[in-house]
């Protein structure tokens, strides 16, 4: 879990400048493409838009692109210790500042305010998703939103909502990092797959003018404790670059799914004994330990692992199950998993391309780890149908997925989990999320098997 404070010194801009950040590939949209595209921009708090995407907004406005901005909160919680300014007064000030920034961009008539609580957007994600859907309508758009793993709960919420909407509607998605530049270091791998938008002198000037409109964040409210400036000069240096950086996800046209995954991962496993470094990666070892610890029962009668790869997790799950089946679309991976499972009585590995192919019988444990985003949205929906038909009443479903974008595939981890919650509607047994992955367990209700012929017989 990322923890930081705006008062932290964080990573110096010199470190980012020396990292090669300025040489990442450029956003593959020229001026003509930008001007001919419609954009919907999500903003958590006034100033986010100027910090993370001010240059982009300046270019879009000057090019004549259609832009609609949704400001979710007034940022009234930026100075919780102030003795001179109430949250209500600060909200009014910050809305005026936001209006001035929008005017600086040339977008004075292009924004609306959702009036949701600062630092409380996670509790209102359904409202945000609904308003976003209303604004998008039936159009093809590019959604611009905070980076979904930025570390601030409001930013992460908007990024997640945007990613779900982009996946559902095949829209392009541009994610803009803000606090990431403070707490992350160049050693983090996420930024290496991002893109750069070089800014002209005019665009840099417009961005500065818009940012300076947010005086309540750049200057002290007063000389009293609790009224200090929120954004330090060292932090602001990250946003004075002659370029902006985004995580870019183009619209999905040719959608990849289970059959593509079968070919891709068979090739991958043929080329390496352990392509994901399950055995020596601390990330994998730690995630595996947390996965096993999250299971609410010590023992299960029958377990199923969907997407077992070489069986590293499966070998440990098998110790908790009377019967255990590990399945994967890659025949090469299944062969290696079978070797690992051979020492566990009642455990086996089988090559199946889920969800089209599905094992017979019922299970009281189903684990789906790091495979949901390799399915198309319709296939994922079918997977949840298969799971609901096969999991015994009171059985455990565990989902665990990488939270960062998965290049070349339609979905990501947060979207997979959001779709699971909405599709299944099952009681949660546990939830854990940090910067790199999300882990969630659900309990199948008593009616989970009722729709499948022969369910009562299988479960008996």
């Amino acid at each position: 879990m990322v923890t930081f404070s705006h008062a932290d010194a964080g990573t110096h801009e010199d470190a980012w400048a020396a990292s090669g950040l300025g040489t990442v590939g450029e956003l593959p949209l020229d001026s003509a493409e930008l001007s001919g595209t419609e954009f919907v921009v999500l903003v958590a708090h006034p100033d986010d838009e100027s910090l993370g995407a001010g240059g982009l907004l300046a270019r879009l406005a000057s090019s004549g692109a259609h832009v609609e901005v949704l400001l979710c909160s007034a940022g009234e919680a930026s100075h919780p210790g102030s003795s001179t300014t109430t949250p209500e007064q600060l909200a009014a000030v910050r809305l005026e500042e936001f209006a001035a920034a929008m005017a600086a961009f040339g977008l004075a008539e292009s924004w609306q305010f959702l009036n949701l609580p600062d630092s409380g957007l996670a509790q209102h994600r359904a409202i945000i998703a609904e308003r976003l859907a209303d604004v998008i309508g039936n159009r093809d758009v590019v959604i611009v939103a905070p980076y979904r793993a930025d570390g601030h709960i409001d930013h992460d919420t908007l990024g997640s909502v945007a990613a779900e909407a982009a996946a559902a509607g095949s829209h392009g998605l541009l994610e803009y990092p803000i606090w990431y530049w403070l707490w992350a270091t160049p050693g983090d791998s996420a930024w290496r797959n991002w893109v750069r938008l070089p800014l002209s002198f005019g665009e840099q000037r417009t961005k500065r003018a818009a940012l300076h409109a947010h005086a309540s964040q750049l200057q002290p409210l007063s000389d009293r404790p609790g009224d200090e400036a929120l954004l330090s000069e060292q932090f602001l240096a990250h946003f004075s670059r002659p370029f902006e950086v985004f995580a870019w996800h183009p619209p999905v046209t040719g959608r990849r799914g289970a059959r593509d995954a079968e070919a891709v991962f068979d090739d991958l496993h043929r080329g390496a004994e352990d392509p994901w470094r399950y055995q020596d990666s601390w990330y994998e070892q730690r995630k595996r330990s947390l996965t096993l610890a999250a299971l609410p029962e010590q023992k299960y009668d029958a377990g199923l692992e969907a997407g077992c790869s070489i069986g590293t997790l499966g070998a440990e799950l098998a110790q908790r199950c009377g019967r255990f089946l590990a399945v994967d679309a890659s025949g090469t991976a299944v062969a290696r998993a079978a070797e690992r499972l051979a020492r566990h009585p009642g455990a086996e590995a089988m090559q199946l391309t889920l969800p089209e192919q599905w094992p017979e019988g019922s299970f009281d444990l189903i684990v789906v780890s790091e495979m949901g985003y390799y399915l198309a949205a319709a296939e994922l929906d079918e997977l949840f149908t298969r799971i609901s038909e096969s999991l015994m009443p009171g059985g455990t479903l565990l989902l665990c997925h990488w939270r960062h974008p998965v290049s070349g595939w339609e979905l990501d981890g947060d979207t997979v989990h959001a779709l699971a919650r909405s599709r299944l509607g099952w009681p949660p047994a546990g939830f854990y999320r940090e910067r790199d992955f999300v882990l969630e367990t659900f309990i199948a209700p008593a009616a989970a098997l009722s729709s499948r012929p022969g369910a009562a017989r299988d479960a008996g």
Side-chain angles (χ1 to χ4, degrees), residues 95-140:
L95 286 174
E96 289 182 4
E97 293 173 345
F98 186 78
M102 288 295 99
F105 290 127
L107 298 170
E109 306 300 324
S110 301
W111 65 281
Q112 57 179 284
F113 178 45
L114 303 192
N115 199 21
L116 299 175
D118 185 2
S119 300
L121 299 187
Q123 286 73 49
H124 295 83
R125 61 180 296 134
I127 295 175
I128 298 168
E130 182 178 353
R131 293 294 295 274
L132 178 59
D134 289 343
V135 170
I136 294 174
N138 295 320
R139 299 175 296 161
D140 291 327

Side-chain angles (χ1 to χ4, degrees), residues 387-388 391-397 424-428 442-450:
I387 288 172
S388 66
L391 195 59
M392 298 176 185
T396 299
L397 169 64
L424 296 171
W426 289 357
F442 301 88
I443 301 300
L449 288 173
S450 61

Side-chain angles (χ1 to χ4, degrees), residues 258-272 275-276 328-336 351:
R259 287 296 177 185
D260 301 286
E262 179 180 355
V264 168
F265 294 117
D266 219 22
D267 288 344
L268 185 68
H269 285 96
R270 279 196 294 264
W276 305 113
D328 199 280
S330 166
T332 306
V334 165
R336 293 177 192 160
Q351 183 181 5

Side-chain angles (χ1 to χ4, degrees), residues 30-380:
D30 60 27
S31 296
E33 290 174 298
L34 291 175
S35 64
T37 302
E38 298 186 63
F39 291 81
V40 178
V41 182
L42 291 175
V43 180
H45 321 98
D47 78 5
D48 291 345
E49 80 298 329
S50 299
L51 290 166
L56 173 68
L57 291 177
R59 179 168 302 183
L60 295 180
S62 64
S63 70
H66 182 80
V67 180
E68 297 176 70
V69 179
L70 299 182
L71 173 64
C72 294
S73 86
E76 68 276 7
S78 67
H79 289 76
S82 175
S83 61
T84 66
T85 309
T86 66
E88 293 76 18
Q89 292 171 327
L90 189 56
V93 168
R94 297 200 68 184
L95 286 174
E96 289 182 4
E97 293 173 345
F98 186 78
M102 288 295 99
F105 290 127
L107 298 170
E109 306 300 324
S110 301
W111 65 281
Q112 57 179 284
F113 178 45
L114 303 192
N115 199 21
L116 299 175
D118 185 2
S119 300
L121 299 187
Q123 286 73 49
H124 295 83
R125 61 180 296 134
I127 295 175
I128 298 168
E130 182 178 353
R131 293 294 295 274
L132 178 59
D134 289 343
V135 170
I136 294 174
N138 295 320
R139 299 175 296 161
D140 291 327
V141 303
V142 170
I143 305 172
V144 183
Y147 177 46
R148 75 192 80 168
D150 201 43
H152 187 297
I153 184 61
D154 284 349
H155 295 192
D156 295 359
T157 296
L158 285 195
S160 175
V161 169
E164 292 168 18
S170 296
H171 302 297
L173 175 64
L174 278 168
E175 300 180 64
Y176 56 92
I178 296 178
W179 292 109
Y180 175 87
W181 305 118
L182 175 82
W183 58 259
T185 70
D188 187 79
S189 61
W191 64 269
R192 298 186 182 277
N193 293 318
W194 294 351
V195 296
R196 179 172 46 94
L197 178 69
L199 304 178
S200 69
F201 288 122
E203 290 162 350
Q204 293 176 60
R205 184 169 57 250
T206 299
K207 177 173 180 170
R208 285 195 298 271
L211 183 56
H212 288 162
H214 297 285
S216 67
Q217 308 302 292
L218 304 178
Q219 302 167 13
L221 299 178
S222 77
D223 58 1
R224 295 188 180 182
D227 280 356
E228 296 84 2
L230 186 71
L231 305 179
S232 69
E233 288 298 324
Q234 180 167 322
F235 178 66
L236 290 171
H238 301 311
F239 307 98
S240 62
R241 302 164 182 156
F243 58 88
E244 289 176 339
V245 181
F246 300 88
W248 165 236
H249 315 282
V252 178
T253 51
R255 300 193 172 199
R256 303 172 82 181
R259 287 296 177 185
D260 301 286
E262 179 180 355
V264 168
F265 294 117
D266 219 22
D267 288 344
L268 185 68
H269 285 96
R270 279 196 294 264
E273 284 290 323
D274 185 1
W276 305 113
R277 297 181 54 221
Y278 290 120
Q279 299 172 86
D280 61 7
S281 163
W282 173 239
Y283 166 79
E284 293 293 344
Q285 294 173 23
R286 178 172 168 272
K287 182 188 65 176
R288 193 158 58 246
S289 295
L290 288 167
T291 297
L292 294 164
L295 296 175
E297 304 295 335
Q298 183 178 8
K299 293 291 185 180
Y300 292 89
D301 292 331
L304 168 67
E305 182 187 7
C308 66
S309 186
I310 62 174
T312 312
L313 173 62
E316 300 196 53
L317 290 172
Q319 298 179 47
R320 306 267 293 267
C321 300
R323 292 185 294 109
F324 180 74
L325 175 62
V327 303
D328 199 280
S330 166
T332 306
V334 165
R336 293 177 192 160
E339 293 177 1
R340 281 187 166 80
L341 295 174
R343 67 178 69 96
H344 301 287
E348 63 175 317
M350 180 182 299
Q351 183 181 5
L352 294 175
T353 301
L354 306 179
E356 177 185 347
Q357 300 171 314
W358 191 260
E360 296 181 355
S362 301
F363 306 90
D364 59 350
L365 170 65
I366 298 179
V367 174
V368 182
S369 181
E370 306 277 27
M371 69 83 67
Y373 33 58
Y374 298 123
L375 303 178
E379 292 174 329
L380 184 64

